[in-house]
């Protein structure tokens, strides 16, 4: 998703947007290139006893419409096949989060900041809208983007107050904190996400990608073992670990065995790859700048879950 002709923000989460999304591959690029991408107590807030009426320094979660859990609706049809009614997510996205709005170009009902804000008040943990708001703050170089009701940091706090166990939202927050030179806070969010992640191969994979962004190599190796061992086949995490010479030698994937060269046929290839610059043999692109560091959502948005609550 183009950011007004500038490189998209960095986020390396693996995307899991529903097939019915009205988001083009171009638009998904910027909001989802998370697919590199808190406990709120880390910033002096408590996530205990979460309730809709709960208020924080970032405002109450009470809203005229919703709030709804994005994960409950993101994989469902936009139109209910039985009642023929629009889903709450489709109602909000169709009016306030159209493709060009997600790409930070043009919104349907109001300004970019106002429509992103509406979306995030109705769905506080809307992964793709969180990415767009993060990108918008970076684009405008403001902690509180124009016409947004809260700061970018507040939108992440609200998302996690609403759904503390939304691992994708937490990974996105870790990415935001790391991009804004708050590595200690980012690491704490990453560690909490790792504790919450469960067995979803997609989400564990995303933990590994963000861990690499934060230079938490051991955590990334552990995530690689868990995600690839559970059936993940997306190659980016493996490629990045290979470029660092940290891919576990004992972790052999089915594709590796199928592509292994016949005995005695590997010498020329090995010589050729040895002459390539570091990382080139594994197909790893040079590291992106902070705001393009994400290979990701490639969450947006949302990135990374195989089911409504996988993340």
């Amino acid at each position: 998703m183009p950011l007004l002709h500038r490189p998209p923000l960095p986020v390396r989460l693996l995307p899991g947007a529903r097939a019915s999304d009205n988001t083009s591959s171009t638009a998904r690029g910027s909001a989802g290139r998370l697919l590199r991408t808190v406990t709120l107590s880390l910033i002096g807030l408590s996530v205990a006893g979460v309730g809709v009426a709960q208020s924080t320094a970032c405002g109450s979660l009470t809203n005229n419409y919703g709030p709804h859990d994005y994960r409950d609706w993101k994989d469902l049809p936009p139109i209910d096949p039985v009642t023929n009614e629009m889903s709450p997510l489709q109602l909000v996205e169709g009016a306030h989060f159209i493709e060009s709005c997600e790409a930070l170009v043009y919104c349907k009902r109001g300004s970019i900041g106002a429509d992103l804000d509406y979306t995030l008040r109705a769905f506080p943990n809307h992964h793709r809208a969180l990415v767009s708001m993060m990108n918008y703050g970076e684009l405008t170089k403001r902690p509180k983007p124009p016409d947004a009701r809260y700061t970018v940091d507040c939108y992440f706090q609200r998302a996690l107050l609403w759904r503390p166990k939304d691992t994708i939202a937490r990974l996105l927050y870790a990415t935001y904190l790391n991009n804004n030179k708050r590595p200690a806070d980012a690491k704490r969010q990453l560690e909490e996400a790792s504790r919450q992640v469960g067995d979803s191969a997609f989400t564990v994979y995303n933990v590994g990608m963000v861990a690499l962004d934060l230079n938490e190599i051991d955590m990334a190796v552990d995530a690689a073992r868990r995600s690839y061992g559970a059936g993940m086949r997306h190659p980016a995490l493996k490629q990045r670990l290979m470029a660092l010479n940290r891919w576990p030698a004992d972790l052999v994937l089915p594709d590796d065995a199928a592509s292994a060269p016949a005995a005695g046929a590997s010498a020329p290839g090995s010589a050729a790859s040895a002459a390539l610059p570091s990382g080139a043999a594994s197909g790893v692109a040079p590291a992106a700048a902070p705001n393009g560091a994400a290979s990701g959502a490639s969450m947006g948005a949302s990135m990374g879950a195989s089911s409504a609550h996988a993340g």
Side-chain angles (χ1 to χ4, degrees):
M1 321 181 179
L3 296 183
L4 300 181
H5 308 292
R6 65 177 302 241
L9 278 182
V11 182
R12 287 187 187 262
L13 300 186
L14 188 70
R18 62 171 185 261
S20 59
D21 281 342
N22 292 324
T23 309
S24 69
S25 58
T26 302
R28 262 189 217 101
S30 76
R33 284 196 178 106
L34 276 187
L35 255 202
R36 218 196 283 211
T37 1
V38 200
T39 53
L40 290 179
S41 59
L42 297 176
I43 46 180
L45 299 175
S46 170
V47 297
V50 176
V52 172
Q54 202 162 353
S55 298
T56 72
C58 294
S60 171
L61 291 173
T62 301
N63 196 50
N64 289 335
Y65 188 72
H68 298 284
D69 188 335
Y70 177 67
R71 299 168 301 169
D72 287 341
W73 298 97
K74 71 184 184 66
D75 296 317
L76 297 181
I79 306 294
D80 188 299
V82 176
T83 66
N84 205 36
E85 294 180 350
M86 279 190 181
S87 72
L89 183 61
Q90 180 62 26
L91 284 170
V92 170
E93 290 187 345
H96 300 279
F97 196 65
I98 60 175
E99 175 184 319
S100 60
C101 191
E102 183 173 10
L104 309 182
V105 175
Y106 166 78
C107 294
K108 185 174 181 179
R109 290 293 184 89
S111 66
I112 293 173
D115 271 10
L116 293 180
D117 169 77
Y118 185 98
T119 302
L120 287 170
R121 283 186 291 113
F123 289 86
N125 62 331
H126 192 302
H127 303 152
R128 288 165 34 224
L130 285 169
V131 175
S132 290
M133 186 64 82
M134 178 169 64
N135 287 350
Y136 195 39
E138 174 68 17
L139 180 66
T140 60
K141 302 188 184 303
R142 297 185 187 183
K144 182 176 178 290
D147 296 327
R149 186 171 299 200
Y150 307 109
T151 64
V152 175
D153 193 88
C154 266
Y155 285 108
F156 283 111
Q157 292 185 36
R158 289 167 57 84
L160 292 172
L161 183 63
W162 171 234
R163 290 295 182 262
K165 293 185 178 181
D166 186 334
T167 307
I168 295 299
R170 196 173 292 279
L171 289 173
L172 294 177
Y173 191 30
T175 297
Y176 167 80
L177 292 168
N178 191 52
N179 290 345
N180 283 273
K181 298 179 173 57
R182 295 168 60 184
D185 291 337
K187 181 179 178 180
R188 285 191 285 268
Q189 292 307 318
L190 174 63
E191 290 172 343
E192 180 63 21
S194 182
R195 285 190 289 269
Q196 297 178 349
V197 71
D199 298 324
S200 166
F202 284 92
T203 312
V204 174
Y205 173 95
N206 285 333
V207 168
M209 294 293 280
V210 176
L212 282 178
D213 294 340
L214 273 60
N215 202 33
E216 296 293 329
I217 310 301
D218 290 341
M219 186 182 295
V221 171
D222 177 68
R225 287 186 177 279
R226 293 170 60 193
S227 62
Y228 288 110
M232 173 57 66
R233 291 294 175 265
H234 198 281
L237 179 56
K238 176 184 177 181
Q239 290 171 344
R240 294 179 71 192
L241 287 171
M242 289 180 68
L244 297 171
N245 293 318
R246 288 299 306 273
W247 176 255
D250 62 327
L251 186 54
V252 179
L253 307 183
D255 292 345
D256 296 336
S259 61
S266 60
S270 299
S273 62
L276 293 173
S278 173
S282 65
V284 178
N291 270 340
S295 79
S298 212
M299 263 163 270
S302 283
M303 304 178 169
S306 58
S307 66
H309 283 278

